[in-house]
Amino acid sequence: MHLEKRLPRNGKEGLLYGTIISTLTVFFMTTYSAIYFAGDFNGEVAFTILKMLPIIWIIVMIIEPAIFGRIAEALTAKFTKPEDSFNSKILFRILFTVLGMSAAMTFIGDVVGNGFHSELFSNWLLNWPRNFVIVLAAESLVIQPVARFVMVKLHESQDAKAKVSTEVNGKII
């Protein structure tokens, strides 16, 4: 799968790919949660979103590759075969990543937004299933396809540059 145009091929591309996914997911879920709990969108909600975005984004950029990405990769390898399709592997990877990240971020988001409080666990039990389903749908239908589209365009551009650089005076080297 190293030459797969829809996935990163090296560390820089992996960082770009992860940044796109994390940024879109954090923006989506932070905005959704703020509006859901506030009831409507206003200046105060917008300010809350702007305050929480960088904090949550940093947390996500640390724990996804360090913990949940590795777990998702191992579970995907366990539940798929090498000959399985790209789509089946990606769907398993999304499922396992979203499962772990939504569980962790539902808890962490509540702590970041409201501090430690007595309803922390009961809030998690109430909010996590909803967050899981919402993020799973968003990741599967919008966020991951956007990130893969960016990778395809990046690789097409790189391939075109590589082709041009191998041509000298109209001759292919």
Side-chain angles (χ1 to χ4, degrees):
M1 292 206 355
H2 181 67
L3 295 177
E4 172 62 55
K5 286 188 176 202
R6 296 171 284 189
L7 296 175
R9 294 179 180 167
N10 58 45
K12 276 187 190 177
E13 291 177 4
L15 181 61
L16 173 64
Y17 186 74
T19 300
I20 292 167
I21 292 168
S22 296
T23 302
L24 291 174
T25 305
V26 167
F27 179 74
F28 175 74
M29 281 311 291
T30 304
T31 303
Y32 171 79
S33 294
I35 292 170
Y36 178 81
F37 290 114
D40 64 342
F41 188 78
N42 56 41
E44 186 178 328
V45 171
F47 186 66
T48 300
I49 292 167
L50 289 175
K51 283 191 318 188
M52 289 188 65
L53 266 173
I55 297 165
I56 298 296
W57 184 81
I58 289 168
I59 293 168
V60 166
M61 289 298 288
I62 292 169
I63 68 172
E64 194 285 328
I67 300 168
F68 297 108
R70 292 177 182 186
I71 294 169
E73 200 63 41
L75 288 171
T76 299
K78 198 169 199 70
F79 285 94
T80 61
K81 297 175 185 163
E83 63 271 9
D84 285 346
S85 72
F86 173 83
N87 289 334
S88 67
K89 290 179 182 185
I90 284 295
L91 285 174
F92 271 108
R93 174 66 195 253
I94 291 170
L95 174 68
F96 294 133
T97 302
V98 169
L99 189 64
M101 287 297 291
S102 65
M105 292 310 296
T106 298
F107 180 80
I108 292 168
D110 195 8
V111 170
V112 170
N114 304 312
F116 288 97
H117 54 88
S118 60
E119 295 93 30
L120 195 58
F121 185 69
S122 61
N123 282 355
W124 183 87
L125 285 174
L126 195 65
N127 295 328
W128 175 71
R130 181 197 66 234
N131 289 349
F132 170 72
V133 170
I134 291 169
V135 175
L136 184 61
E139 286 273 340
S140 300
L141 301 174
V142 179
I143 295 168
Q144 289 274 341
V146 166
R148 287 193 300 276
F149 177 78
V150 170
M151 286 294 110
V152 167
K153 291 302 177 187
L154 176 67
H155 293 145
E156 286 174 354
S157 172
Q158 290 171 346
D159 293 348
K161 286 179 186 177
K163 184 178 179 184
V164 168
S165 69
T166 59
E167 294 178 4
V168 178
N169 295 330
K171 297 179 182 176
I172 298 177
I173 299 175

